[in-house]
Amino acid sequence: MSILRLSHVEIRVPDLELATAYYTEVVGMYETAREPDRVFLKCWDEHQHHSLILRFAPTYGLDHMGWKVESREDLDEYATRLAEVGVDIVRHDAEEIGPGHGEAIRFTLPSGHLMELVHGMEQVGNLLPNTNPPPKPLGLVGFAPPRLDHIFLTCEDVNLNTRFLVDVLGFHLTEQVLGDDGFQVATWLEVSHASHDIALVTGQDRGLHHFAWWVDDWNEIRNVADVLAYHGVRIETNPTRHGATRGHCIYFFDPAGNRNEAFTGGYWVDPDEPPVTWTEAEMGRAIFYYDGVVNQRFLTVHS
Ligand SMILES: [Fe+2]
């Protein structure tokens, strides 16, 4: 039984057409379905029906995050495990949640974030043939990330939520910032051997700090900056490197105010490897290794 990876995120946007234009023309995702108040999108190299859902709402923030599990039986086993620790679960049939969606269970983390485990999302294929494919399609639009990578949330009690992800859902802690009082200020966890699939930082419950796409290398981060600047998109943090995860990154905002990231680099881990610890004094370097400072703007989040 295992969670394979982050499957999709559903976010709120007050202007559905503006957000769709940004996510298709600047980011370069592909629209796969549409409802009156929702648009479904995927990246070019993703086979599944969607990795991002935009929902019309008068504000911004995270509605839910979906995680892909390996088999249908996994849903039952996770449901049992969650019930054992007193977590309420809602089961959804494939048709119930939306187009292309698989069977799912939904529950909330101690932080109030709505989490979903999903199996059997419709496979629509990437943009390459399965026989003798070229490395990438021609004519991609925007900075065209191949896939969704990770999500970063805020919560009041990082210790509690990290323990829940590890003990109940089987995540593996790869890095942490430990406060001088011994409590975790921020944590990074994985299920896919990557440096992180999810991270938590102290802040308000139910907050979305950002979600990130994978890009292939450091040069691609530069290309992201070129595309964003061309389109006049506000770049919050220019291309740089994280201390924690060692990844390269750039941060920017969608038109609604949801923070986005393009990410690459990092490392691969086995689940039995011990976590890296950063002290509170070095937290700035954990987040932005070159600057060594986390500014107040970066710690501002939306719920
Ligand atoms: Fe990130």
Side-chain angles (χ1 to χ4, degrees):
M1 172 172 86
S2 67
I3 298 173
L4 290 174
R5 61 173 177 81
L6 180 63
S7 164
H8 58 277
V9 293
E10 180 168 6
I11 57 169
R12 296 183 291 273
V13 296
D15 186 331
L16 201 52
E17 289 315 314
L18 181 63
T20 302
Y22 164 82
Y23 282 103
T24 56
E25 292 166 28
V26 179
V27 178
M29 299 184 79
Y30 290 82
E31 184 177 325
T32 54
R34 186 177 275 254
E35 294 175 334
D37 66 341
R38 293 199 299 178
V39 174
F40 297 73
L41 302 150
K42 69 180 276 291
C43 297
W44 72 261
D45 203 21
E46 291 173 329
H47 287 262
Q48 291 201 162
H49 184 269
H50 55 265
S51 58
L52 178 65
I53 307 168
L54 309 175
R55 184 174 72 82
F56 171 70
T59 182
Y60 43 76
L62 179 70
D63 266 5
H64 84 276
M65 55 177 177
W67 293 78
K68 180 178 181 175
V69 299
E70 208 163 348
S71 69
R72 198 193 166 284
E73 292 68 42
D74 287 342
L75 293 180
D76 297 330
E77 289 186 33
Y78 277 109
T80 303
R81 188 184 291 189
L82 287 158
E84 279 168 4
V85 296
V87 175
D88 291 333
I89 308 141
V90 180
R91 298 200 75 120
H92 294 277
D93 294 337
E95 307 76 39
E96 211 177 331
I97 299 185
H101 211 289
E103 202 176 335
I105 61 174
R106 283 184 171 185
F107 52 94
T108 52
L109 299 179
S111 55
H113 291 96
L114 181 59
M115 182 161 175
E116 175 186 285
L117 302 180
V118 60
H119 170 68
M121 188 186 286
E122 184 186 340
Q123 300 272 348
V124 297
N126 63 1
L127 292 193
L128 299 176
N130 288 330
T131 303
N132 303 330
K136 64 192 287 188
L138 298 182
L140 293 172
V141 171
F143 61 81
R147 63 176 172 81
L148 181 67
D149 189 74
H150 67 262
I151 190 165
F152 203 124
L153 306 175
T154 67
C155 58
E156 290 176 13
D157 191 335
V158 173
N159 273 76
L160 175 67
N161 285 283
T162 299
R163 209 162 51 236
F164 185 90
L165 290 171
V166 171
D167 294 346
V168 182
L169 298 174
F171 282 76
H172 162 226
L173 179 70
T174 57
E175 307 218 14
Q176 60 183 343
V177 176
L178 266 191
D180 296 337
D181 57 6
F183 285 92
Q184 291 166 322
V185 178
T187 54
W188 289 257
L189 304 103
E190 62 86 20
V191 285
S192 69
H193 297 269
S195 62
H196 65 314
D197 296 294
I198 187 171
L200 307 173
V201 65
T202 307
Q204 64 198 65
D205 276 347
R206 292 181 295 283
L208 170 66
H209 190 278
H210 66 266
F211 62 94
W213 296 281
W214 176 263
V215 295
D216 281 342
D217 57 32
W218 172 241
N219 283 340
E220 286 295 323
I221 299 277
R222 177 182 61 193
N223 182 53
V224 173
D226 286 344
V227 172
L228 293 173
Y230 179 88
H231 286 285
V233 173
R234 186 156 78 83
I235 297 174
E236 182 192 40
T237 303
N238 278 316
T240 188
R241 185 202 274 276
H242 295 303
T245 77
R246 302 181 211 148
H248 303 291
C249 58
I250 176 170
Y251 287 95
F252 43 99
F253 288 97
D254 77 6
N258 297 296
R259 188 185 280 103
N260 295 163
E261 178 190 14
F263 177 89
T264 191
Y267 50 75
W268 300 101
V269 292
D270 287 343
D272 59 356
E273 291 175 19
V276 168
T277 297
W278 297 80
T279 59
E280 187 171 330
E282 290 297 301
M283 178 166 177
R285 225 162 272 291
I287 304 295
F288 295 126
Y289 190 67
Y290 302 144
D291 286 348
V293 176
V294 187
N295 60 28
Q296 198 51 47
R297 187 185 58 193
F298 185 79
L299 295 174
T300 305
V301 295
H302 316 302
S303 66

